[in-house]
Amino acid sequence: MVWDEVAVQDEAVQAKQVQDRAAIQDEVAVRDEAAPEGEVARRSPVSQRRGRARSATWTRRLAVVALVLAALNLRPLVTSIGPVLEEARAALGMSAAVAGLLASVPAVCFALVGSTAPRLARRHGPEGVVLAGMAAVALGLALRPLAGGTPVFLTLSGLALAGIAVANVLLPVVVKQRFPDRVGMMTGLYSMALNLGASAAAAVTVPLAGAFGGDWRAGLGAWAVLAAVAVPPWVALARDGRRLTEQQAGQQAGQQAGQWAGQWAGRAAGGDAAAGAGAHVRVARSPMAWALAVFFGLQSSSAYVIMGWLPQVFRDAGLSAEAAGLLFAVTSVLGVPLSFVLAAVAGRLRNQSGIAALLGAFGLAGYAGLWAAPAAAPWLWAVFLGVANCSFPLALTMIAMRGRDGATVIRLSAFAQSVGYVLSVPGPILVGALYQHTGGWRGPLAFAVCLMVPQIAAGYLAGRDRQI
């Protein structure tokens, strides 16, 4: 599998890194010897500590801005097309079957492209890969409205989705590396931004198109501006990531040289073997990783069911189109504040099993209410399902907390999200098939209720205080 292959290749990569780090250390030593006395004096321990503190504060603020801007751009590509789909289909000659395919393409793309993120991050660093992803999103969003036919439109959508896929996997890694003491809070912050971007794109695309004379192309293309704004902070963060890598390489090379000077060669080799063994984690063989993947997939499936079918459930129950749209907006808007609060709380707990079970209970109550009497208390059912949708930031928080180090989090995030998105694809399709076959919503909603049971079980297992 991809994850096992990546782990096997790490041994050769680590050997090369040791050589590179030693070379970097020698270069730094030569530079210090050649530096003027005044410059050396300015490098006193106190001044160095102050400089590092100022640099660290600036970098953390930059990382916060970069994370929020990236998260704002992870969903507008998907949620902006729905409000203008009818106009886009007419202009592009898009069939109904292809239009339906658009709903499942994101999950498939996230699964396939997301699995390549660990290898890319190992070569270019997580920040560098996210930078490339944001550039791909901006380019895809800018060019997609100019497409003259369906194939080009889908190709450019795929380009932007590829950028989103690698960012999906690597943002938890950046949080783990940049904010190891605030994983929950930072995950909640960018989850909140993600929900805000999704809701804004769904609500504002049509008014944006209206501002340009009703041109749907302008309504879609306007979101490229937001994606372009996210690129510069990631340029700076990628540069800082490379600088940190070089510094850490020099420090580790020096530590390793000291250990080798004072230890027997055999003991040093044994220590290297033990360290290497820790790096070669087989994520795909971990029950915890599979629990995370199943939980991520089932909560994604439930979210896609809600996004794709909830308004139709309310309309078939006799509510107006405006009321159905407003109820659907409630489920989205609830995620903005709740994502931040939930992830911050979960990040402070060693065990998140209870939270996963509680969110699943809200989902059971929401679907059961729709099954029994959708028009009796529609606002209550919408609120319940909006709370249940907060399983997404919980899953991201648990991914970041279950890995022992940044390298493991990269593999775990790629595995859980890739497998999870594959598992999420059949759910919305089966709900639609059951609706078409039965002519009503009791069968599909009963199926959705059944899916919540394994989601609760997987969330309970994934939330235990264990690390990979």
Side-chain angles (χ1 to χ4, degrees):
M1 297 179 69
V2 173
W3 303 276
D4 292 343
E5 178 186 348
V6 170
V8 171
Q9 291 177 349
D10 278 349
E11 185 174 354
V13 173
Q14 289 174 352
K16 186 177 185 302
Q17 286 177 342
V18 170
Q19 297 175 352
D20 293 344
R21 289 165 183 167
I24 292 172
Q25 186 185 30
D26 293 341
E27 180 182 345
V28 172
V30 171
R31 187 172 64 245
D32 286 346
E33 291 177 359
E37 292 184 1
E39 184 178 347
V40 174
R42 287 195 298 271
R43 295 178 185 174
S44 65
V46 174
S47 64
Q48 288 179 358
R49 284 196 297 270
R50 289 176 179 173
R52 284 195 295 267
R54 287 193 296 268
S55 177
T57 300
W58 181 87
T59 302
R60 285 171 73 89
R61 291 174 179 173
L62 174 67
V64 171
V65 173
L67 284 166
V68 169
L69 287 175
L72 285 172
N73 285 282
L74 294 183
R75 293 298 179 267
L77 177 83
V78 179
T79 58
S80 63
I81 185 64
V84 295
L85 181 59
E86 183 176 346
E87 292 80 2
R89 283 184 57 197
L92 299 172
M94 186 185 299
S95 67
V98 173
L101 184 65
L102 284 173
S104 58
V105 163
V108 175
C109 189
F110 293 163
L112 295 178
V113 180
S115 64
T116 67
R119 182 174 299 180
L120 293 172
R122 193 176 67 250
R123 292 182 179 179
H124 308 290
E127 296 90 349
V129 179
V130 176
L131 166 61
M134 288 296 99
V137 173
L139 186 62
L141 283 170
L143 297 180
R144 184 174 69 160
L146 304 179
T150 299
V152 178
F153 186 87
L154 291 176
T155 300
L156 293 171
S157 297
L159 172 64
L161 285 170
I164 294 172
V166 294
N168 277 336
V169 172
L170 295 178
L171 287 187
V173 180
V174 175
V175 169
K176 178 77 170 182
Q177 293 179 344
R178 298 281 180 173
F179 305 93
D181 55 335
R182 298 182 180 181
V183 169
M185 186 184 74
M186 293 307 303
T187 302
L189 181 63
Y190 87 73
S191 297
M192 182 175 67
L194 186 150
N195 280 311
L196 184 61
S199 302
V204 180
T205 298
V206 172
L208 283 174
F212 289 92
D215 187 357
W216 66 272
R217 297 178 185 272
L220 291 183
W223 296 104
V225 177
L226 180 62
V229 171
V231 172
W234 283 100
V235 172
L237 208 61
R239 289 176 179 172
D240 181 75
R242 287 193 296 269
R243 180 182 60 82
L244 286 177
T245 299
E246 292 177 357
Q247 289 180 351
Q248 292 170 358
Q251 293 172 358
Q252 292 174 2
Q255 293 171 359
Q256 191 176 54
Q259 291 173 356
W260 285 349
Q263 296 178 352
W264 293 84
R267 292 181 59 191
D272 288 345
H280 292 177
V281 178
R282 301 299 198 271
V283 171
R285 298 180 184 179
S286 168
M288 177 63 72
W290 278 101
L292 280 168
V294 172
F295 178 68
F296 190 94
L298 291 177
Q299 66 83 26
S300 295
S301 183
S302 177
Y304 285 132
V305 168
I306 292 171
M307 286 188 291
W309 296 109
L310 185 61
Q312 192 64 48
V313 173
F314 285 129
R315 293 193 67 178
D316 288 351
L319 278 69
S320 67
E322 291 78 10
L326 188 58
L327 287 164
F328 173 66
V330 168
T331 65
S332 299
V333 172
L334 270 176
V336 176
L338 286 181
S339 294
F340 177 76
V341 174
L342 179 68
V345 171
R348 295 182 179 181
L349 301 176
R350 298 178 66 87
N351 187 307
Q352 297 82 31
S353 298
I355 297 179
L358 180 62
L359 293 178
F362 273 99
L364 284 173
Y367 283 126
L370 288 175
W371 181 87
W379 291 98
L380 184 60
W381 314 143
V383 168
F384 282 170
L385 292 175
V387 174
N389 267 353
C390 290
S391 296
F392 176 73
L394 176 63
L396 295 178
T397 303
M398 290 194 296
I399 287 172
M401 296 183 70
R402 296 290 90 92
R404 293 184 183 274
D405 51 38
T408 304
V409 172
I410 289 177
R411 296 175 192 162
L412 183 57
S413 181
F415 177 81
Q417 293 198 45
S418 297
V419 174
Y421 278 122
V422 170
L423 292 176
S424 72
V425 172
I429 298 175
L430 289 174
V431 166
L434 285 171
Y435 174 61
Q436 183 175 352
H437 179 71
T438 62
W441 284 107
R442 289 214 156 189
L445 290 171
F447 173 70
V449 168
C450 291
L451 286 181
M452 294 303 301
V453 176
Q455 177 182 322
I456 293 174
Y460 182 85
L461 294 175
R464 294 176 299 169
D465 184 18
R466 308 281 177 83
Q467 283 192 319
I468 299 174

